[in-house]
Amino acid sequence: MSTSKKSPTILIVTPEITYLPEGMGNLAQRMSAKAGGLADVSATLVKHLYDQGADVHVALPNYRRMFHLDVQQVFHSEHKKLSENLGTKRIHLAEDRIFYRRERVYSATENHRIALAFQREVINNIIPAVKPDLIHCNDWMTGLIPAAAKSLGIPSLFTVHNIHSERILLSEMEDRGIDPLDFWEHLFFEKTPNGGYDYVRDNNPCNLLASALFASAHVNAVSETFLNEVVDGKHPFVQESIRNELAAKLHSGNASGILNAPDPAFNPAIDEYLDHNFEPKTQVEGKATNKKQFQETTGLEINPSAPLFLWPSRLDPMQKGCQLLADILYSIVDDYSDIGLQVGIVANGSFKKHFEEIVEMHGLQHRVAIVDFSEDLSHLGYAASDFMLMPSRFEPCGLPQMVSPKYGSIPVVHDTGGIHDTVEQLNYEKTEGNGFSFQHYSAEGLRWAIDEAVHFHKLKGKFKNPVIERIMNEANERFNHIVTAKEYIKRYEWILGRKFS
């Protein structure tokens, strides 16, 4: 290991982020552009590096509308203050009109243009300005950057949050201001790139995600189990090129899994969305109060002893397993009518109408609540519920199964991907585990796990309350961004061959 005391310069390239650390100036607090868990992980990783005194830089698209920077005079003033506070420019905003008026990170029609504009600015302007020792890229929208960095002798860590990819021709890159001539041999093409640059240019699309995997020094998925599932061919929706490149990296010792972690705002003791905060030691009273409020708000029967199951994930039948719940929804409500079992669905998605039809057909309005997603009701749902439902068909990482135990809501899940890495079968007699997990993806499997959960709910408080308190405490220690950030720093140090000073 080098004994150099200079902290390495790390450039984190991300299309989304939740916040930037206090101390980075007023502008930093305005910077929030979130579509998913990537935003939270990026934010906390930057904060942890910054708090350590690391020379950390961030490249982001300049989402003026989302950052509330439409008034350029205010923007330039705040950016100047930010630079003065840091002593150097640490936040690098990629400039292009395609970013300025956006109201959300991704688009159904413009993702190619957005990705190319972002990468053009990073490759042409930000990397030369920062001169990083290492670049940390995230998802397909940064897929060209590891190849460009490799041509400059700069190693990259690439994180796969979403297995989705896109294909783009070299000629399309050129049209958007990127000259791939110096790094095209580090890219991954759909066909063997015979015939030289001029032939490949218009005839052989580049796979952005596979290119990033191919060119990076190290790759991580957001769950070790999901990484192994992909490499083992257990998910047929994953492109063969992606699977092969992940397998090559894994077998050469250059791929690993690092779990995401929930936003620190998910903490019932300080949650700003809750009228009634609580801690593990006060969870009995705290959850009872929040349950009553949730029942009143959603139209459920006011019943303090009813086991309440929360569905917090989008209603996507391709991934989230909502059809499994639909198949057994009436039966679980009817079979457990003696204890008033309730289900609260706080989510949007294509499958929502099917649940509404089931509720209408069977008259379940006071036992099953179906409401649109909102942050306040989602947080209240975690605080109110006894159990959280997550029967995903597949899950690269997942966050609800890490959020819910922080609130004393025990996960009821399908054993797959990131869920496998975070939920262990509850054995309350041996004080082990934190949830109820079924192995075989089926409605029968979910029903078994729900039956197990109801059995636990029927235990006397002197038995189950200490278990819930233990689960909450363990979740706080285990599922947090400090743990995640430390794992990323280990990868940085391994790639660079030296410790952070």
Side-chain angles (χ1 to χ4, degrees):
M1 286 273 181
S2 168
T3 58
S4 170
K5 293 184 179 181
K6 179 184 179 298
S7 180
T9 299
I10 309 296
L11 173 62
I12 297 176
V13 182
T14 176
E16 52 180 291
I17 202 161
T18 308
Y19 63 89
L20 285 165
E22 293 181 11
M24 280 192 163
N26 293 334
L27 180 62
Q29 300 310 306
R30 297 184 182 207
M31 290 187 170
S32 179
K34 179 178 177 178
L38 167 57
D40 297 322
V41 174
S42 298
T44 307
L45 180 57
V46 171
K47 183 180 189 305
H48 193 68
L49 289 166
Y50 179 77
D51 289 346
Q52 283 198 347
D55 185 18
V56 58
H57 295 248
V58 184
L60 289 163
N62 188 358
Y63 302 116
R64 290 183 188 173
R65 175 168 288 181
M66 285 187 277
F67 293 162
H68 307 292
L69 300 177
D70 282 338
V71 182
Q72 282 300 90
Q73 184 176 358
V74 173
F75 164 68
H76 288 301
S77 172
E78 293 292 353
H79 201 260
K80 182 179 179 182
K81 290 178 186 177
L82 175 61
S83 298
E84 290 171 352
N85 286 349
L86 297 176
T88 184
K89 184 178 178 183
R90 298 290 188 104
I91 301 174
H92 307 269
L93 298 179
E95 301 293 344
D96 193 279
R97 295 188 68 82
I98 199 169
F99 307 135
Y100 297 161
R101 311 300 295 177
R102 300 197 60 73
E103 295 182 343
R104 56 181 59 88
V105 174
Y106 303 112
S107 164
T109 58
E110 293 187 305
N111 280 340
H112 274 203
R113 293 179 60 211
I114 296 167
L116 288 174
F118 182 33
Q119 292 175 100
R120 179 198 70 221
E121 292 300 294
V122 173
I123 292 169
N124 294 352
N125 300 317
I126 296 175
I127 292 176
V130 175
K131 297 179 175 62
D133 295 298
L134 183 147
I135 301 176
H136 183 173
C137 296
N138 295 274
D139 272 351
W140 73 270
M141 290 188 76
T142 66
L144 299 176
I145 296 169
K150 189 172 184 177
S151 71
L152 299 170
I154 303 171
S156 298
L157 171 69
F158 187 81
T159 301
V160 182
H161 299 265
N162 188 323
I163 208 71
H164 177 74
S165 185
E166 296 284 345
R167 301 173 181 85
I168 295 178
L169 288 167
L170 296 178
S171 57
E172 294 180 81
M173 301 176 202
E174 292 175 355
D175 289 344
R176 294 296 169 183
I178 298 172
D179 183 2
L181 182 61
D182 290 334
F183 61 85
W184 74 280
E185 292 178 325
H186 299 306
L187 299 174
F188 187 99
F189 295 91
E190 291 299 293
K191 299 175 287 187
T192 303
N194 295 325
Y197 182 89
D198 289 336
Y199 178 78
V200 171
R201 180 179 179 274
D202 288 305
N203 299 284
N204 197 348
C206 162
N207 184 309
L208 291 182
L209 183 56
S211 291
L213 302 177
F214 180 58
S216 296
H218 193 88
V219 172
N220 77 277
V222 287
S223 142
E224 183 176 355
T225 295
F226 184 73
L227 172 63
N228 289 322
E229 287 173 351
V230 170
V231 169
D232 293 341
K234 293 185 178 179
H235 298 302
F237 60 86
V238 177
Q239 298 170 20
E240 193 67 13
S241 56
I242 304 295
R243 189 185 76 81
N244 289 339
E245 285 305 307
L246 278 174
K249 277 290 193 287
L250 182 62
H251 296 151
S252 65
N254 295 309
S256 57
I258 302 176
L259 287 167
N260 287 339
D263 188 315
F266 285 108
N267 179 345
I270 60 170
D271 192 329
E272 295 181 356
Y273 289 102
L274 300 184
D275 294 332
H276 309 284
N277 296 104
F278 60 95
E279 297 179 346
K281 286 189 177 297
T282 59
Q283 51 92 9
V284 175
E285 298 81 4
K287 289 192 70 66
T289 304
N290 283 288
K291 179 183 281 190
K292 182 180 179 182
Q293 183 179 354
F294 183 85
Q295 290 170 333
E296 291 173 341
T297 303
T298 60
L300 290 171
E301 178 185 0
I302 308 301
N303 182 348
S305 62
L308 173 59
F309 289 78
L310 173 70
W311 182 287
S313 304
R314 69 183 185 278
L315 295 170
D316 174 11
M318 297 299 292
Q319 179 185 356
K320 296 299 183 180
C322 40
Q323 70 275 24
L324 303 188
L325 178 61
D327 287 347
I328 61 172
L329 182 60
Y330 173 72
S331 67
I332 60 172
V333 172
D334 186 59
D335 291 350
Y336 289 115
S337 60
D338 59 325
I339 57 174
L341 182 146
Q342 298 178 349
V343 178
I345 298 173
V346 183
N348 299 326
S350 61
F351 209 79
K352 184 180 177 184
K353 63 180 182 299
H354 295 287
F355 284 114
E356 292 172 339
E357 290 170 357
I358 293 170
V359 169
E360 180 67 25
M361 181 185 302
H362 297 286
L364 304 178
Q365 287 83 356
H366 299 300
R367 300 282 297 282
V368 179
I370 305 168
V371 294
D372 287 337
F373 174 85
S374 65
E375 284 288 347
D376 56 346
L377 199 53
S378 178
H379 284 241
L380 178 60
Y382 283 119
S385 59
D386 302 288
F387 305 99
M388 186 280 300
L389 295 168
M390 197 173 179
S392 302
R393 183 190 301 271
F394 65 92
E395 198 64 64
C397 180
L399 288 173
Q401 83 278 12
M402 292 186 261
V403 170
S404 66
K406 289 174 175 283
Y407 288 75
S409 180
I410 299 176
V412 177
V413 300
H414 176 223
D415 184 32
T416 185
I419 297 175
H420 176 84
D421 294 343
T422 50
V423 178
E424 295 81 36
Q425 186 67 23
L426 181 61
N427 185 331
Y428 37 89
E429 293 179 352
K430 295 184 178 180
T431 64
E432 304 177 331
N434 61 347
F436 300 98
S437 179
F438 63 97
Q439 302 294 315
H440 302 291
Y441 183 77
S442 64
E444 293 76 18
L446 175 58
R447 174 61 195 253
W448 172 85
I450 290 174
D451 290 343
E452 290 291 299
V454 171
H455 177 73
F456 174 76
H457 184 79
K458 289 180 176 179
L459 295 177
K460 292 182 178 179
K462 67 178 181 180
F463 296 113
K464 69 179 180 183
N465 293 336
V467 174
I468 296 171
E469 183 177 338
R470 171 185 64 79
I471 289 172
M472 292 177 69
N473 284 324
E474 289 178 356
N476 289 330
E477 294 173 4
R478 181 179 174 191
F479 305 134
N480 65 75
H481 281 145
I482 293 176
V483 173
T484 299
K486 286 179 178 178
E487 289 299 313
Y488 277 110
I489 290 171
K490 286 180 185 178
R491 305 309 189 278
Y492 295 167
E493 292 176 338
W494 181 85
I495 293 169
L496 294 169
R498 58 181 166 130
K499 291 282 188 180
F500 277 31
S501 59

